[in-house]
Amino acid sequence: MPAVTRTATVVILDFGSQVSQLIARRTREANVYSELLPHDTPWAEIVKRNPAAIILSGGPESTLGPDAPDCAPDVFTSGIPLLGICYGMQLVAKKLGGTLVPLAHSEFGPAILTVDARDCPLFLGVPAQSRVWMSHGDTVTAPPPGFSVYAHTERSAVASIGDAARRIYGVTFHPEVVHTEAGTAILQNFLHEVAAIAANWEMASFVDDAIARIRGEVGTANVICALSGGVDSAVAATLVSRAIGKQLTCIYVDTGLMRRDESAGVLAAFRDVLHLNVIAIDAEERFLARLAGITDPEEKRVRIGHEFIAIFEEESKKIADVQFLVQGTLYPDVIESKTPGSKAGHKIKSHHNVGGLPEHMALGLIEPLRELFKDEVRKVGKVLGLPDAIVMRQPFPGPGLAVRIIGEVNRESIDTVRAADWIVTSEIDAAVELSPRPWQYFAVLTPVRSVGVMGDGRTYANLVGVRAITSEDGMTADWARLPHDLLARISTRIVNEVPGVNRVAYDITSKPPATVEWE
Ligand code: XMP
């Protein structure tokens, strides 16, 4: 689908910095729509977006190197307001005739920025001195002709340059990271003061645009969507159903691997609150049969993924004239597959998502959220009236409780982990005073057995692990410092209420080196 055209677009060219995505997030937080594109995107592609401003990100390379990453030359001559960040500023300097040299010692981490030109529009309202975050190995010694120097740090005499007439600016530090105290103000100054972009990117207008686009694209065809219970598929399905109503059929496969009462709650919300057209398939027996005797985590994931797709395909064949599939793809997934900065890395776990449908199904894709970050999806969910139970639902892995049972998945092990999980989640949910709130929390059933004593008798039963983490995105995580009283309540309740468990351990490992899930 084409990008939203109603509001101004800022194009961010990505030179591979670890924090490029944050530039997109910050502009959107300023109610300005932005898209992150690879640095070598052809100019014709850039102008298609009719950008109201262009931002060049930082990057790991040096502009002085032989193969320095570059961008279309028109970026520097088009007259569109331009901001270069770190590598981006160095590229501006290099292209427009400034002088650069490598620093004897790279400047990493915090520095104090002194603003020398307080009337520069980039620094309006910014204190004379503030903390910024640096990460660069080269420095500009002389700005290009026509440019002024606006700020310095102890180690960089030229920390910001600009040419007000051409509306081209540069900063050596990273305004997009939270460690740069005035970073948000500086970015917003660029967007609103320099580029004169109105702050009108809002979720309500996104919803209206998306609905109109989906209607235009689908026409009278039928559309299917796999609902997982998670926020992305729920928001995507609700948007599509607002556009085309009963032409959308949602399929909810109950794997039998969900948490207590979860399937019923999710289905009730889909049907009664969101009025989605949902077919629910009770497939517990099929998944149990596929998982019998399997203990390897990856094998569990693969089998669950295949079974899911088989069921989804069987069900969708029953619907006439299906031409499209709705997917809850988000912007980070899109960026990851497009930009040079994202390296595939080692595969730690194969994440089963509904993506991998067989090619012979040959369906068109509708991905209404592919321009959004997770927090924006939540905002859209709220605009659409999705209940908090779905919008704020903590992440739950596609393979469900199967990867929270170390060892074989069978009815008994599922019942045990589900009962323990219910206690963990309800106790932590009830502890409303917790700050920060854990991002994800659950129980894990282990095959470890230990001796205990209950009443006057000896027990030999299983160990349950409790995991609660704080995180922003699940990529890195720390274990949550839960109050001891809360942990004590959870532990006491689990050993008293869950048959077959006589010991509870709290997981105090961060990610890395551990992962969030135990499998
Ligand atoms: P890990 O265990 O990889 O988890 O540190 C990071 C986040 O991903 C979730 N997770 C999964 N989600 N399918 C999913 O859809 C999976 O197979 C899967 N494995 C882990 C995990 O719950 C955490 O939020």
Side-chain angles (χ1 to χ4, degrees):
M1 278 196 280
V4 174
T5 49
R6 201 159 120 171
T7 49
T9 297
V10 171
V11 164
I12 301 158
L13 295 181
D14 183 9
F15 288 87
S17 154
Q18 299 288 321
V19 289
S20 296
Q21 275 202 34
L22 288 180
I23 308 172
R25 297 190 58 110
R26 298 290 170 257
T27 68
R28 292 182 183 200
E29 281 163 16
N31 297 102
V32 174
Y33 178 69
S34 62
E35 279 191 48
L36 190 65
L37 302 178
H39 63 85
D40 52 0
T41 303
W43 182 244
E45 278 300 311
I46 297 174
V47 286
K48 262 191 210 161
R49 278 134 177 116
N50 191 21
I54 298 175
I55 300 179
L56 309 180
S57 83
E61 308 289 336
S62 162
T63 55
L64 301 171
D67 300 316
D70 208 344
C71 59
D74 315 67
V75 164
F76 304 97
T77 55
S78 67
I80 297 172
L82 180 67
L83 174 67
I85 294 175
C86 193
Y87 182 94
M89 161 164 146
Q90 290 155 16
L91 199 60
V92 166
K94 180 177 156 182
K95 294 284 175 175
L96 297 178
T99 315
L100 290 131
V101 293
L103 280 172
H105 301 285
S106 301
E107 190 178 16
F108 287 120
I112 296 298
L113 180 82
T114 304
V115 179
D116 304 304
R118 303 288 304 280
D119 55 345
C120 166
L122 216 49
F123 294 102
L124 287 182
V126 172
Q129 293 207 311
S130 64
R131 192 163 44 86
V132 294
W133 192 70
M134 292 286 203
S135 175
H136 64 126
D138 299 333
T139 189
V140 174
T141 46
F147 276 64
S148 308
V149 177
Y150 299 127
H152 70 274
T153 67
E154 204 179 321
R155 296 188 36 203
S156 296
V158 180
S160 172
I161 57 173
D163 177 347
R166 280 188 279 178
R167 295 193 295 176
I168 301 181
Y169 291 86
V171 291
T172 38
F173 54 89
H174 287 265
E176 69 275 27
V177 305
V178 287
H179 312 286
T180 295
E181 282 168 347
T184 303
I186 293 167
L187 274 177
Q188 296 197 1
N189 280 341
F190 173 69
L191 298 171
H192 305 314
E193 301 295 330
V194 174
I197 302 174
N200 62 359
W201 157 254
E202 280 169 10
M203 288 311 141
S205 59
F206 168 83
V207 167
D208 293 343
D209 284 355
I211 288 175
R213 275 188 289 156
I214 295 164
R215 258 186 213 140
E217 192 173 357
V218 170
T220 56
N222 281 333
V223 179
I224 48 170
C225 176
L227 287 175
S228 66
V231 60
D232 305 340
S233 61
V235 171
T238 308
L239 255 182
V240 174
S241 111
R242 295 282 157 91
I244 58 165
K246 298 294 176 201
Q247 280 165 261
L248 172 70
T249 306
C250 300
I251 298 173
Y252 177 77
V253 179
D254 185 353
T255 57
L257 301 166
M258 302 296 271
R259 290 166 291 192
R260 184 184 289 182
D261 296 341
E262 192 162 30
S263 287
V266 158
L267 275 174
F270 288 153
R271 286 185 172 144
D272 307 337
V273 183
L274 302 175
H275 308 293
L276 296 179
N277 181 15
V278 188
I279 298 175
I281 310 295
D282 179 356
E284 182 180 18
E285 296 297 338
R286 284 179 66 163
F287 280 92
L288 277 178
R290 293 282 275 170
L291 290 169
I294 304 301
T295 55
D296 177 68
E298 281 303 284
E299 185 63 22
K300 285 181 190 175
R301 281 189 170 81
V302 168
R303 286 177 175 240
I304 291 169
H306 285 166
E307 195 60 25
F308 188 95
I309 288 165
I311 295 171
F312 187 72
E313 197 179 354
E314 281 165 32
E315 290 308 315
S316 50
K317 275 193 190 139
K318 298 178 189 165
I319 305 163
D321 190 28
V322 174
Q323 292 183 21
F324 295 94
L325 169 77
V326 181
Q327 278 191 338
T329 315
L330 302 194
Y331 198 45
D333 310 325
V334 176
I335 295 173
E336 227 159 67
S337 60
K338 263 205 247 170
T339 60
S342 54
K343 304 197 171 55
H346 293 262
K347 183 167 128 185
I348 310 292
K349 298 176 188 184
S350 59
H351 282 200
H352 141 73
N353 288 319
V354 187
L357 285 186
E359 281 198 0
H360 64 254
M361 285 184 77
L363 297 174
L365 279 186
I366 299 179
E367 297 178 305
L369 312 179
R370 59 180 283 124
E371 294 155 348
L372 304 186
F373 289 105
K374 190 90 175 183
D375 53 329
E376 294 174 324
V377 172
R378 294 209 163 94
K379 285 185 197 153
V380 171
K382 288 202 173 209
V383 170
L384 291 170
L386 265 70
D388 267 4
I390 291 183
V391 175
M392 304 314 288
R393 180 181 188 255
Q394 59 162 310
F396 186 62
L401 297 176
V403 291
R404 293 179 178 174
I405 295 166
I406 313 295
E408 193 187 334
V409 178
N410 52 43
R411 207 176 287 281
E412 192 188 350
S413 58
I414 295 175
D415 286 348
T416 306
V417 79
R418 185 178 280 143
D421 186 77
W422 174 255
I423 293 170
V424 174
T425 41
S426 44
E427 285 293 340
I428 294 180
D429 285 344
V432 285
E433 73 288 354
L434 286 184
S435 173
R437 288 211 63 79
W439 191 78
Q440 204 174 0
Y441 36 99
F442 52 89
V444 181
L445 177 63
T446 79
V448 172
R449 306 187 94 195
S450 73
V451 174
V453 53
M454 270 191 205
D456 289 328
R458 176 186 189 276
T459 59
Y460 188 55
N462 287 89
L463 168 79
V464 156
V466 174
R467 183 87 162 130
I469 54 140
T470 52
S471 178
E472 295 253 308
D473 49 17
M475 304 292 286
T476 56
D478 197 6
W479 58 279
R481 289 355 185 222
L482 295 184
H484 290 178
D485 289 352
L486 174 59
L487 287 170
R489 262 197 318 277
I490 290 172
S491 161
T492 309
R493 281 193 59 194
I494 290 177
V495 289
N496 281 304
E497 295 174 32
V498 183
V501 178
N502 68 351
R503 204 175 282 266
V504 174
Y506 187 50
D507 183 348
I508 54 167
T509 338
S510 60
K511 172 184 178 176
T515 51
V516 174
E517 304 288 345
W518 283 25
E519 281 201 335

